[in-house]
Amino acid sequence: MNSDSEDKFSTQPDKSFKVAIPSENLIAVLAVPTLLGLAGAKAAFPILESLGKSCEEVFRGARLPGLNFPKQVPEEQE
């Protein structure tokens, strides 16, 4: 009975699932998405920069029409 409890709580790692992938293959597989991401970011930067400048112009109000508010006449106090 003592051996059963030792088997349940053993500190040995489970060796049933083992995948051996060489590091050269991992580097080759991960290099392509990394380079594509860097190229995409480099291409997206000018687009985002021009979008930011146009939004800044809109929020600055240079292209917005002026609003004519009617002058308020103070009411006579009773």
Side-chain angles (χ1 to χ4, degrees), residues 7 13 16 18-19 22-23 31 33-34 38 40 43 49-51 65 70 76-77:
D7 289 338
S16 62
K18 186 175 182 181
V19 177
S23 61
T34 302
L38 288 172
E49 186 178 22
S50 65
L51 179 67
E76 294 181 22
Q77 295 181 357

Side-chain angles (χ1 to χ4, degrees), residues 1-12:
M1 180 126 184
N2 196 10
S3 65
D4 289 336
S5 64
E6 287 177 7
D7 289 338
K8 283 184 183 177
F9 302 109
S10 90
T11 57
Q12 297 295 328

Side-chain angles (χ1 to χ4, degrees), residues 26-38:
L26 285 175
I27 291 172
V29 167
L30 295 176
V32 174
T34 302
L35 292 174
L36 287 176
L38 288 172

